[in-house]
Amino acid sequence: MCRADQQPDPSETEDTTGSAAAFAALLEDSAEELYESAPCGYLSTLMDGTIAKINTTLLQWLGLDREAVVGRMRFTDLLTVGGKLYHETHFAPLLRMQGEISGIALEIKPATGNRIPVLVSSVVKRGSTGEPLLVRTTVFDARDRRSYEEELLRRRKDAEEARKQAEEARRQAEEARKQAEADRARLQDALAVLQRSLLPDTLPAMPGMEAAAYYHTASPDRLGGDFYDVFPVDGTRSAFFLGDVCGKGPQAAAVTSLTRYTLRAAALHDPDPVSALTLLNRVLHARYSASGDPRYCTAVFGWLQPDPATGEVTVHLASGGHPPVLVLRADGTGEFLPTPGGLLVGILPSAPFVTATTVLAPGDTMLLYTDGLTEARTGTGRTTLFGDEALLAFAAGQADTSPRAVVEAVTALLASFGDGLDDDTAVLALAPAPRTRHPR
């Protein structure tokens, strides 16, 4: 900007004048030129639809000459069959009623035969007295919009198809999950039946004796290898055994079944504990050693002979690599019954077994168990084994109670281990009966 006492620079004046002239030249388009070359189609029709005026843009879209259209064609002649039907049933009635209508999607048919989607807006021009004179119509090319809508529709269809596929996948996954759960339940039922077949249904009544047992299955999805049994041998004696087969699953179950029937047969033939374990060792070694997959077990086998006169019970037993038997005395003490020299049963062609003997007085209880009890993991991080000494201290607190009470206490102890108990565990308690117990 110049100060009042300054004159403008001649060169600046010339530049400004030239720019203004160029800008004014851009605005010299006539109304007719703007009409003919507009980016949309324009046409005017009489009230019967006859085309009275049409711009060049629309003629180019249609591929028609002005002479072939003006005065010779109606607006509906430019539309497709569906467009004509819609014009007659909706467009024209609404236009007559409202005097204007806008944004109606129709299709025009060029001479080339292709369809062009358009958006049509019309308004009725009226005379000074209000009578309708003609209809002015604007036609917008909607091909880009149609493409966008088609793409949007395609994407929506794709999304819907993907949703349906995902829903079907979820449905199939849910059916598969339910089927897997049903299959697992059937398998667990079958395994439970098979597991029960490897254990006595109930413990038999034995003269002068009381007995209780418990079996903990580490997983309902696999067969355990622990076993126990109690049964009368003759009129005065009863036999018992408890053990643990190496491994899990069907193979272990087969060894368990063979072991139980072998020990039962051995007890009926010769109840001597060493003889019974020696026979079992020969049977297991002969059956499995040649297969390249040796199978063995740990076991305690013995017999009980009550003395009706004293109420005491004499116990003779032998152990093959099994944890020692625990004897709980009526005076509140407890001790492990030593069974030295016992090897794993079935691992060698011949194995030495040694008999151990004890006497259970009224109020005493003998507890047999598998290593799942002493090897349960305890403490922070489940890194410490429960162990023999902890078991001895715990069991001593159950002295002078019934075998059932001892087994119930051990069952609660097993439950307290939670996920620290990851092995099958069998427990068998034996005691003289009847006897008078002190309340606890």
Side-chain angles (χ1 to χ4, degrees):
M1 177 179 293
C2 298
R3 293 197 302 271
D5 59 347
Q6 288 182 333
Q7 296 297 324
D9 189 338
S11 61
E12 291 181 358
T13 303
E14 291 177 359
D15 291 342
T16 304
T17 302
S19 299
F23 183 72
L26 294 176
L27 300 179
E28 289 180 355
D29 292 334
S30 65
E32 185 66 22
E33 185 177 358
L34 290 174
Y35 176 83
E36 293 294 341
S37 302
C40 59
Y42 287 116
L43 74 158
S44 299
T45 63
L46 303 179
M47 295 310 297
D48 65 356
T50 302
I51 298 174
K53 189 175 182 180
I54 185 169
N55 73 341
T56 303
T57 300
L58 185 52
L59 287 171
Q60 289 174 348
W61 291 351
L62 294 168
L64 298 174
D65 295 328
R66 193 180 305 273
E67 293 76 13
V69 175
V70 175
R72 296 178 178 271
M73 298 180 67
R74 296 176 181 234
F75 174 60
T76 54
D77 295 331
L78 307 181
L79 304 177
T80 61
V81 174
K84 290 180 180 179
L85 180 61
Y86 184 84
H87 184 277
E88 296 298 329
T89 58
H90 293 77
F91 190 99
L94 282 174
L95 181 61
R96 285 194 297 269
M97 208 168 30
Q98 299 176 357
E100 62 179 335
I101 191 169
S102 62
I104 303 301
L106 297 172
E107 287 183 329
I108 59 176
K109 52 177 185 179
T112 57
N114 298 324
R115 297 182 177 187
I116 299 179
V118 293
L119 292 176
V120 177
S121 297
S122 295
V123 61
V124 177
K125 181 182 178 181
R126 300 183 181 275
S128 58
T129 60
E131 74 278 10
L133 300 178
L134 53 83
V135 177
R136 288 175 176 169
T137 298
T138 305
V139 182
F140 293 92
D141 187 345
R143 280 175 288 194
D144 290 342
R145 174 173 172 171
R146 175 67 62 85
S147 298
Y148 168 77
E149 291 176 344
E150 290 177 348
E151 176 65 16
L152 182 61
L153 181 60
R154 184 186 65 80
R155 289 177 181 251
R156 287 179 177 174
K157 287 182 178 178
D158 290 346
E160 179 65 16
E161 183 63 25
R163 186 194 65 78
K164 290 181 179 179
Q165 291 177 356
E167 185 65 28
E168 178 64 16
R170 284 193 294 270
R171 186 189 65 79
Q172 292 178 357
E174 179 64 15
E175 289 183 355
R177 183 189 65 79
K178 290 180 179 179
Q179 184 62 45
E181 288 180 352
D183 292 343
R184 184 184 180 193
R186 285 193 292 269
L187 175 61
Q188 289 178 349
D189 290 343
L191 291 176
V193 171
L194 182 56
Q195 188 75 71
R196 288 194 297 269
S197 72
L198 301 175
L199 300 169
D201 291 334
T202 57
L203 298 180
M206 298 174 291
M209 292 295 306
E210 288 184 348
Y214 174 71
Y215 188 93
H216 166 78
T217 301
S219 171
D221 297 323
R222 66 180 185 181
L223 289 170
D226 293 5
F227 59 90
Y228 65 87
D229 205 352
V230 180
F231 52 94
V233 175
D234 51 38
T236 60
R237 293 181 299 179
S238 297
F240 66 88
F241 58 79
L242 178 141
D244 185 3
V245 167
C246 170
K248 307 293 179 187
Q251 295 84 357
V255 178
T256 298
S257 179
L258 178 60
T259 298
R260 290 187 68 246
Y261 288 115
T262 299
L263 289 178
R264 268 185 165 268
L268 296 176
H269 176 71
D270 182 359
D272 176 67
V274 172
S275 298
L277 291 182
T278 299
L279 176 61
L280 177 61
N281 186 80
R282 287 201 303 267
V283 169
L284 292 182
H285 189 268
R287 171 66 179 82
Y288 292 103
S289 62
S291 66
D293 184 22
R295 294 284 171 171
Y296 55 88
C297 70
T298 66
V300 175
F301 179 92
W303 54 264
L304 311 159
Q305 186 162 18
D307 184 345
T310 63
E312 298 178 338
V313 176
T314 301
V315 181
H316 291 269
L317 60 84
S319 173
H322 199 79
V325 172
L326 184 57
V327 178
L328 309 179
R329 299 302 179 182
D331 60 5
T333 61
E335 61 182 352
F336 289 109
L337 184 62
T339 50
L343 296 179
L344 295 174
V345 183
I347 200 72
L348 296 175
S350 60
F353 301 105
V354 178
T355 301
T357 303
T358 191
V359 175
L360 300 178
D364 296 345
T365 299
M366 183 173 65
L367 180 65
L368 296 86
Y369 54 93
T370 55
D371 59 9
L373 174 56
T374 53
E375 294 181 1
R377 294 174 284 109
T378 63
T380 304
R382 302 294 189 184
T383 58
T384 304
L385 297 183
F386 183 62
D388 294 336
E389 295 306 317
L391 174 60
L392 180 60
F394 173 82
Q398 311 304 319
D400 198 24
T401 60
S402 68
R404 178 179 295 277
V406 172
V407 169
E408 288 176 351
V410 175
T411 300
L413 175 64
L414 293 172
S416 71
F417 293 143
D419 58 5
L421 183 62
D422 55 8
D423 194 9
D424 304 306
T425 304
V427 179
L428 176 63
L430 301 165
R435 54 181 173 168
T436 303
R437 305 185 183 281
H438 304 293
R440 297 184 62 84

